Amino acid sequence: MNSRDGIFPDEVVLQILARLPVKSLFKAKTVCKLWYRLSSDKYFIQLYNDVAAKNPTVLVEISDSSESKSSLICIDNLKAVSEFSLDFLKDRVKIRASCNGLLCCSSIPDKGVYYVCNPMTREFKLLPRSRERHVTRFYPDGEATLVGLACNLSMQKFNVVLAGYHRTFGHRPDGTFICLVFDSDSNKWRKFVSFQDDQFTHMNRNQVVFVSGALHWLTGSSSFILALDLNCDVWRKISLPDEVCCAAGNRVYLLESDGCLSIIQISEALMKTWVMKGYETEQWHVVDMVSLRCIRGMVPGIFPISQTGECVFLATHKQVLVYHRKSRVWKEMYSVKNSSTLPLWFSAHSFRSTIFSCN
């Protein structure tokens, strides 16, 4: 289908196809030769991923206590809910990190086994076991304290980071921070050691943000951001706005916003959004401030998960909400009907549907 057929120019067709879900796009490959080549065409892949970046979704694992099983759902800002599975991994896994359409999952029955997968294309890579992992003792229980996934769409590569405190058998952690980095280009792990005395809560460990070639975690005290530059394997600390550090009783969350670091600060009455517009100079700017009066009853249990400049997704115990910044309208996007064993915010991840091959 092209301009010679007198229907649509090729560029118009590409713009339409770039807005299809990945599953629908792959089903459409049989229509004609042009469509069949799209999934390997560099221009179209870049177009598709650019469009996807403007349409964030939330990925949530729903656990059913009555059936002892879980399912994955994806929710977009048009209230479309799609269910899918990671059964193609042939393993029981938990999602440890999400970045640009890829997931990093760890095996539940087999400690130290990690996968990187694209759930939309059902492609995956089983990461090689690191020879260092048997020597290194992460704390606690052999699990890495921090798990990070960095997916660079423009370079078509990814990194997985496992970081944790070393301890000798029967002793407390000694403050030595072991970091293992997997590089998809070399298909190998590298290791470096530093000293860190920072603590992390469950939410802070899970909300890892990849921007400017670095992975970022908010410390448990919400006093600063810990960043790992993947280009030179160096940890550094990034300061938060003074107003955020000094505000007692407020909750702080680290997210991405259109390729920039962002902080969402929630108090009883307000939700304030900060964006770092000068990464090297660490310049923070307030870009949005909204009253929480209309969702007052939900405020104590609400957690921001994903955002763009247009909207922000938030999860409660049993609901996923979206706030549209321009219209200042709140909408319920999803609500759990059964008895979920865990709050939705506990297993919610920022996600986007992209074309990326793990292999």
Side-chain angles (χ1 to χ4, degrees), residues 6-269:
I7 302 175
F8 291 114
D10 286 351
E11 183 60 31
V12 174
V13 174
L14 294 179
Q15 290 290 340
I16 294 171
L17 294 176
R19 285 156 175 79
L20 287 177
V22 171
K23 288 182 179 179
S24 301
L25 182 66
F26 275 68
K27 287 180 182 178
K29 289 174 66 173
T30 57
V31 172
C32 64
K33 291 181 179 179
L34 170 65
W35 292 18
Y36 183 81
R37 295 193 302 266
L38 289 181
S39 60
S40 58
D41 182 81
K42 290 184 177 181
Y43 171 78
F44 181 75
I45 290 173
Q46 181 68 45
L47 173 63
Y48 190 95
N49 293 340
D50 287 346
V51 171
K54 300 173 184 177
N55 297 285
T57 59
V58 171
L59 183 67
V60 185
E61 185 173 9
I62 307 296
S63 54
D64 191 328
S65 57
S66 61
E67 300 182 26
S68 299
K69 67 176 184 179
S70 62
S71 59
L72 293 172
I73 61 165
C74 204
I75 307 154
D76 65 27
N77 61 1
L78 299 177
K79 213 169 182 177
V81 177
S82 56
E83 185 172 339
F84 61 91
S85 169
L86 298 179
D87 58 0
F88 57 90
L89 296 178
K90 308 297 183 185
D91 195 356
R92 287 195 306 121
V93 299
K94 58 182 175 180
I95 299 171
R96 300 301 302 272
S98 170
C99 181
N100 287 336
L102 296 189
L103 302 178
C104 177
C105 304
S106 62
S107 172
I108 294 173
D110 195 355
K111 296 286 186 183
V113 171
Y114 288 86
Y115 304 87
V116 171
C117 68
N118 185 329
M120 295 303 169
T121 63
R122 297 174 69 85
E123 292 181 317
F124 72 93
K125 180 177 181 60
L126 171 63
L127 301 190
R129 281 183 177 268
S130 167
R131 288 177 294 176
E132 299 283 354
R133 196 167 298 141
H134 300 292
V135 178
T136 302
R137 290 184 177 273
F138 284 125
Y139 175 81
D141 303 326
E143 285 286 305
T145 304
L146 303 179
V147 178
L149 174 63
C151 173
N152 191 318
L153 293 175
S154 61
M155 297 179 66
Q156 289 289 292
K157 65 171 288 185
F158 67 85
N159 296 101
V160 173
V161 171
L162 306 178
Y165 297 96
H166 177 267
R167 62 170 180 173
T168 53
F169 185 75
H171 292 75
R172 292 174 179 267
D174 58 13
T176 305
F177 210 54
I178 310 289
C179 188
L180 300 174
V181 181
F182 176 80
D183 187 289
S184 64
D185 282 347
S186 65
N187 197 41
K188 293 180 180 178
W189 294 88
R190 62 181 186 265
K191 172 189 173 183
F192 66 97
V193 180
S194 60
F195 187 86
Q196 302 288 345
D197 57 357
D198 309 306
Q199 299 300 313
F200 301 89
T201 66
H202 171 81
M203 284 301 293
N204 289 338
R205 291 199 307 267
N206 277 8
Q207 287 195 298
V208 52
V209 174
F210 175 60
V211 300
S212 299
L215 287 167
H216 304 77
W217 288 268
L218 186 67
T219 56
S221 60
S222 297
S223 53
F224 57 85
I225 294 167
L226 189 64
L228 172 60
D229 189 329
L230 293 168
N231 296 314
C232 54
D233 290 345
V234 173
W235 292 97
R236 75 180 181 108
K237 294 180 178 181
I238 297 176
S239 301
L240 298 179
D242 292 338
E243 183 182 329
V244 172
C245 295
C246 298
N250 289 356
R251 291 179 288 137
V252 182
Y253 303 91
L254 178 66
L255 283 81
E256 181 222 6
S257 179
D258 300 329
C260 299
L261 280 181
S262 177
I263 289 290
I264 291 186
Q265 179 184 10
I266 293 181
S267 65
E268 286 187 11

